[in-house]
Amino acid sequence: MPVGASHFQGLSAGLDPSSFIEKGLSMRFITPLIATILLSLIPAGCTSASREGLPPGSPFQAEVVIKPETLPQGIAVGDVTGHSAALWTRTDGPAMVHIEWAPASAWDAAEKMGTVVWPLLRTNRVTTTAESDFTATIPLSGLVPRTHYRYHVLVGPVAVPHEHIDAVLAARGEFMTLPDEGTSVPVTFAWSGDLGGQQRCRVGADGYPIFDVLRRQPLDFFLFLGDTIYSDDVCPAPPNEPGADFKATTLDQYRARHRYQRGSLPLRRFLASVPVYVTWDDHEVKNNFAGPYEAQMPAGRQALREYWPIASPSDDPQRLYRTVRYGADMELFILDDRQYRSRNSDPDGQEKTMLGKEQLRWLLQGLRHSQATWKVIATSVPLSIPKGGGATVPGNDGWAGGPDGTGFEYERQLIVDTILTQHLKNVVFLAGDVHYVQASAYDPNGDGVPDFHEFVAGPLSAAPGRMSPPTLALNATNLIQEGGYYNFGLVRVSSSAFDVTVLDDKGAVRFSHHLSAK
């Protein structure tokens, strides 16, 4: 099982001023002014009981030495909300890891005061073990909306209880929490998927250079819409880096394919600087798989959760679908199109499902009750592009139906009917999977006014897809259909507009479209 939020106890707040630092003060109370007051209340010469002298990595040392080699696959921050975040990392063997963090303003104030007692909060120490392939996803809680945080990742050897541990600073970074639902703040994010498919794998340590292009964008976060690995595809070496010349079928092999991807320096640099929200598609397990009927799914799912910072509720630890509420203007619904789906080969109808009954209920209820200006639905497979299967996995794999009577159009229509009957405005779908760019305006009720839009992006690095015209059921108007290059979508959302731009791996603009809020 991956390490998740349910594995950690919350930090308690003490009443004695010095214990605020030792036990952890809820971050909503720490402002630069209060941080200064707390520090002034601690008697001269008093330090936290567990922080004798300057801690490793303290900003008050003459030199801060970072030892990133202890974290060979880097770090990532994900599933950021207004009050929490999840920090992922992997050590190079058994180790104890903890995170120290504070608002950047409080951190700066402490640095200027030059004191060894500084207003940091610290997570419990987490031991990385072979059971989770030495990965850890560590939750940070009690955060304040729309606040800039700074953190240090400290790593030390596994020790017996109460033994002193000499930890080293292995990484440091920053992130911003999301605004609360009452605050209107523009947000800029990118989305794409499909990394390392059809032998377009990692060439050297600088493989996947598109992530350096992504890192140059002014992003608040990145939405990774699946196919984070191609576990069922062989990457020959040369020309690619060695380490992925096999098809994964076991947990250890799935883990190895994730490690292979993290060998990319551009990807590691990107994940160290931009928060991510990740879901999966099929190649994390096997081409076009349907979860309940795929014996390899539990292993692929475990590896995915071990290698990405995904926060799931404690009462449903395998759940991947979730919402991201970014202030007053956007609510993002991230779907899981794989874990609950019927077989692709089953005939379409009311018994066939891609989402499963509970996820579908969650989505429809969330759309009906959302007060956000823009309702954005992230689906790893597109709405109207026919995507047929093959001899080994027959049946259409996306929402659109095929001439053989397969597809998932009945369930798709339930979503469309909710949009129409509830008179929902400003609904946008984002998708990937097909390895080319497509944008569509849909007018399913045929009144001449688009009822919602869909934008499809990708691949990050995979073979171009074979383009197909959209099916007629949603009365689509194509805005673009173009392939043959690696790409990602860039979105800027405000209370008045939803602006989409598609950029290629050189940073050139290939498409842009503006939607005005209704």
Side-chain angles (χ1 to χ4, degrees):
M1 291 288 292
V3 180
S6 61
H7 294 270
F8 301 97
Q9 297 178 347
L11 298 176
S12 60
L15 297 177
D16 176 74
S18 63
S19 70
F20 275 82
I21 297 170
E22 170 61 19
K23 297 183 179 179
L25 175 63
S26 175
M27 296 308 295
R28 65 180 180 273
F29 296 125
I30 293 188
T31 64
L33 174 61
I34 294 178
T36 303
I37 294 172
L38 286 174
L39 290 169
S40 67
L41 289 173
I42 299 173
C46 177
T47 64
S48 165
S50 62
R51 300 296 296 274
E52 297 296 335
L54 290 172
S58 166
F60 310 114
Q61 292 176 338
E63 295 183 5
V64 177
V65 179
I66 303 177
K67 297 185 177 181
E69 64 273 11
T70 60
L71 304 176
Q73 280 74 43
I75 58 174
V77 173
D79 279 22
V80 178
T81 72
H83 299 281
S84 63
L87 193 146
W88 175 90
T89 194
R90 180 179 184 271
T91 59
D92 57 356
M96 298 191 76
V97 182
H98 69 274
I99 314 299
E100 294 183 331
W101 82 98
S105 56
W107 199 303
D108 291 340
E111 282 185 311
K112 292 176 182 178
M113 294 175 67
T115 174
V116 300
V117 181
W118 43 330
L120 285 182
L121 289 182
R122 181 175 62 189
T123 64
N124 294 330
R125 291 189 179 94
V126 177
T127 302
T128 61
T129 67
E131 184 181 5
S132 60
D133 202 29
F134 308 111
T135 63
T137 294
I138 303 175
L140 308 181
S141 60
L143 309 183
V144 179
R146 205 182 174 195
T147 300
H148 180 197
Y149 284 92
R150 191 172 299 158
Y151 65 86
H152 281 180
V153 182
L154 294 117
V155 179
V158 176
V160 299
H162 310 300
E163 183 177 319
H164 176 73
I165 298 174
D166 290 321
V168 299
L169 176 60
R172 58 183 176 182
E174 303 179 1
F175 66 92
M176 178 80 76
T177 50
L178 275 53
D180 60 42
E181 296 182 9
T183 303
S184 179
V185 180
V187 55
T188 301
F189 68 95
W191 94 95
S192 193
D194 313 306
L195 183 64
Q198 296 83 41
Q199 293 84 56
R200 274 68 167 181
C201 308
R202 184 165 61 84
V203 179
D206 291 320
Y208 306 142
I210 193 171
F211 285 101
D212 281 335
V213 181
L214 269 161
R215 192 163 57 95
R216 291 195 290 269
Q217 312 307 314
L219 299 180
D220 292 296
F221 65 86
F222 177 63
L223 173 63
F224 206 153
L225 273 186
D227 291 344
T228 60
I229 61 173
Y230 275 74
S231 65
D232 54 347
D233 195 22
V234 173
C235 292
N240 306 296
E241 282 293 291
D245 55 349
F246 60 90
K247 293 183 178 181
T249 59
T250 68
L251 176 57
D252 284 343
Q253 289 172 336
Y254 285 119
R255 289 166 167 170
R257 295 302 297 259
H258 282 283
R259 289 197 300 272
Y260 175 84
Q261 301 290 61
R262 299 298 171 84
S264 162
L265 292 178
L267 176 57
R268 293 212 304 268
R269 286 192 290 262
F270 179 72
L271 294 178
S273 59
V274 178
V276 293
Y277 301 87
V278 178
T279 190
W280 63 354
D281 196 29
D282 51 339
H283 293 289
E284 281 83 4
V285 178
K286 182 189 290 186
N287 186 47
N288 291 1
F289 83 93
Y293 309 99
E294 177 50 63
Q296 292 175 206
M297 186 194 72
R301 181 181 60 195
Q302 179 173 336
L304 172 84
R305 295 183 57 81
E306 287 175 345
Y307 274 84
W308 289 102
I310 299 172
S312 297
S314 58
D315 60 348
D316 191 2
Q318 304 303 342
R319 175 173 157 175
L320 299 175
Y321 62 90
R322 56 216 192 267
T323 57
V324 179
R325 182 64 187 266
Y326 201 102
D329 299 325
M330 187 181 75
E331 186 161 11
L332 173 63
F333 299 84
I334 302 175
L335 303 185
D336 176 354
D337 294 338
R338 290 291 163 188
Q339 190 165 183
Y340 315 104
R341 74 157 61 195
S342 304
R343 291 184 178 93
N344 290 351
S345 57
D346 291 348
D348 199 5
Q350 62 182 5
E351 298 303 319
K352 191 172 186 181
T353 181
M354 183 183 291
L355 302 181
K357 291 182 179 180
E358 181 57 31
Q359 183 179 190
L360 178 63
R361 183 202 62 78
W362 163 86
L363 174 62
L364 299 184
Q365 180 174 302
L367 289 173
R368 286 193 294 265
H369 292 97
S370 179
Q371 298 299 308
T373 305
W374 297 93
K375 277 72 71 174
V376 182
I377 303 171
T379 169
S380 62
V381 294
L383 292 179
S384 64
I385 298 174
K387 184 173 176 282
T392 56
V393 187
N396 269 29
D397 188 63
W399 292 97
D404 59 355
T406 66
F408 297 82
E409 292 192 356
Y410 180 89
E411 187 169 80
R412 184 187 67 184
Q413 191 61 40
L414 296 178
I415 301 171
V416 172
D417 288 344
T418 297
I419 295 171
L420 297 178
T421 60
Q422 299 294 315
H423 305 289
L424 300 180
K425 306 298 183 184
N426 309 318
V427 176
V428 178
F429 289 80
L430 301 179
D433 185 53
V434 292
H435 299 193
Y436 59 83
V437 176
Q438 180 167 302
S440 304
Y442 295 116
D443 178 23
N445 61 7
D447 64 356
V449 178
D451 297 295
F452 53 93
H453 290 75
E454 180 184 37
F455 300 93
V456 182
L460 291 163
S461 183
R466 184 173 59 186
M467 291 183 284
S468 302
T471 56
L472 301 177
L474 296 179
N475 196 16
T477 297
N478 251 16
L479 306 174
I480 184 176
Q481 189 180 62
E482 184 176 84
Y485 51 88
Y486 303 154
N487 66 85
F488 59 89
L490 187 66
V491 179
R492 179 173 173 82
V493 181
S494 69
S495 60
S496 60
F498 192 98
D499 291 296
V500 180
T501 305
V502 173
L503 287 79
D504 65 21
D505 59 336
K506 307 301 180 186
V509 174
R510 296 297 190 119
F511 167 77
S512 61
H513 192 72
H514 171 83
L515 299 176
S516 296
K518 298 177 182 179

